[in-house]
Amino acid sequence: MELLQHDILIVGGGGAGLRAAIAIGEENPNLSVGVISKIYPMRSHTVSAEGGAAAVIKSNDSLDDHAYDTISGSDWLADQDAVEAFVKEAPEEMVQLEHWGCPWSREPDGSVAVRPFGGMKTERTWYAADKTGFHMLHTLFQTALKYNNITRYDEWFATKLLVHDGRCQGVAALELRTGQIRAIAGKGTILCTGGAGRIFPFTTNAAVKTGDGMALAYRAGVPLKDMEFVQYHPTGLPGTGILITEASRSEGGILINKDGYRYLQDYDLGEPLDVHDPRHPQKRTMELGPRDRLSQAFEKERQKGRTIKGEFGDYVHLDIRHTGEKNIEKKLPFVRELCRNYVGLDPVHELIPVRPVVHYMMGGVHTNIEGETPLPGLFAAGECACVSINGANRLGSNSLTELLVFGARVARAAVRFGVQAGDLATEKIIAQAQQEQRRIRERFFQPGSGQETIAGLRADMTHTMESGAGIYRSEESLRATCDRIREIKGRLGGLELADHSLTFNTELTAALELEYTLEVAEALAHSALARTESRGSHQRTDYPERDDERFLKHSLAYRTDGDPRIEYLDVVITRWPPGERVYGSK
Ligand SMILES: Cc1cc2nc3c(=O)[nH]c(=O)nc-3n(C[C@H](O)[C@H](O)[C@H](O)COP(=O)(O)OP(=O)(O)OC[C@H]3O[C@@H](n4cnc5c(N)ncnc54)[C@H](O)[C@@H]3O)c2cc1C
């Protein structure tokens, strides 16, 4: 087997992966970089981000305010040193992106326009209409093309980390066009593989978001951090889960129940009672409260029988009609397009049906502030990593900026590691890749019992995750989910693939992805069971209070042959001692 070799290997061609690739070129253009992506990079999920990216730019804002909002939004589970680095580097990254060609929307005076976003005290979310991720990814992609030291492996699927002598030395990857596994070596390997929303039935996440990098690291003995924290976005379309961006609420959209009543006024969203702004007589943040609280309010409303019953479960309505056609066309054209194409309605004149849908994983591969994992040679950034700046609840629009800041940081750390690292054990890692080729052929291309299907196992997994580890959880529901996941894992052996071809075998990749999602689901459910408190997006009906004494800590889930082992790690507190989560405009 031929060995493909680079100084630094990046798995993932989304926002984090491309930013990292560029940063290596900026750092040292003589280093060779390999970027592996299971899909063409421009199809990475980053492309679908709509609302915007947060960074301080206006004179009425400050880095401390951005840090405080992020920390209180995280319910004090974010590491404050990481948040401080993040808010400081964020504006530089955003300006840099503009210089590379990102068309940020503008105020009439020509300055960068910012919009309010949930849980942010002031307007600090930069946007490019409602296609922010599309423009950001294009900008990064076209900039990456300028660097001759970057080799892309588009439509290559990483199946295993190659670890020898306690050091990650590359990956085994399936070339989808030929069906061959190849060894790709790197002195440093950076995982930028995105999130894992697909372990739930209703999600805004693209079909490719199956937690591959998290599972690869987990299998190699690296812990997954804070996996119990799953963000539900309050406004997804029922059925498809397609996102109706938070920007539709920042532009004035309101949520109403089956009686046409603006129900959020009945709930405590954490706004301070003394928020008075003479310019805004409506002093409550309401629809711009944090995502976890809004999703929880929906669930309470459902229990009271005040939601609407539909084919895909209960839903409420988002009303943006009053914001006017001109405004919708200018600021929310994509929302109109999505509603027309996927629900057959025009939000200029009609109400949009919405429900909470899984949106984002706060947890991920355990890294430090530089993106280093505990396994030497392995790094992670972007949604697959947990640095952590998001803690128990991410604030909308912090994630796109996180890709830039930590994509660049992790690249610098990998370069530092790569230049002083010893030689790679090439023969050993080729042998591991050959073994991986045999494993996949034997596992999937030989007749099984044929009792199970990918779709059947996937549906069982997603439904047990929603019912037992959804917006509200309890010991009973989580235990049932943990048992069910173990049972579904056991049934994997009964899976038989009908397609044994080598060229673009999507049934094979779906089976590999199913295995990854089950690893992630297992770590998530067990981490949630062990955390007997409620914090941010993790709401236990049997432990409704936050318990700083026992749980001001990150959870670390380690893979074992049985149930995962859960350990804890202290949260880094620098300047903001834990307090009440309070929201509201400045
Ligand atoms: C609909 C939607 C809207 C959003 N809107 C916003 C927003 O407005 N603001 C905000 O801050 N955040 C938003 N988010 C969140 C944010 O977009 C994501 O967290 C972020 O884009 C993830 O970027 P990433 O680079 O980590 O991963 P991705 O962009 O998901 O890229 C992952 C990459 O990894 C590759 N990959 C994965 N597995 C493998 C494998 N096994 N082998 C090889 N390659 C692999 C894929 O090919 C892909 O290139 C939104 C998310 C969604 C779903």
Side-chain angles (χ1 to χ4, degrees), residues 12-13 15-16 37-39 44-46 51-52 158 212 243 360 383 397 399-400:
S37 179
K38 66 179 178 179
I39 46 176
S44 305
H45 190 70
T46 300
D212 304 13
L243 176 75
Y360 183 87
E383 193 174 340
S397 77
S399 170
L400 288 176

Side-chain angles (χ1 to χ4, degrees), residues 11 158-163 168 170-171 189-193 211-225 364-367 373-375 378-380 384-386 516 519-520 523 557-559:
V11 187
T159 66
K160 187 182 181 345
L161 297 180
L162 302 175
V163 181
C168 181
V171 301
T189 301
I190 309 176
L191 295 171
C192 297
T193 47
D212 304 13
M214 296 178 193
L216 294 180
Y218 186 54
R219 283 178 179 172
V222 177
L224 298 183
K225 185 159 77 189
V365 179
H366 171 41
T367 74
T373 77
L375 176 63
L378 185 69
F379 303 79
C384 78
C386 183
Y516 296 149
E519 301 273 21
V520 176
Y558 290 83
R559 192 175 192 278

Side-chain angles (χ1 to χ4, degrees), residues 35-69:
V35 178
I36 306 172
S37 179
K38 66 179 178 179
I39 46 176
Y40 193 73
M42 271 310 299
R43 297 180 60 218
S44 305
H45 190 70
T46 300
V47 80
S48 59
E50 301 168 28
V56 171
I57 184 76
K58 298 292 179 194
S59 55
N60 65 343
D61 200 1
S62 75
L63 298 182
D64 275 5
D65 277 351
H66 190 186
Y68 181 80
D69 287 352

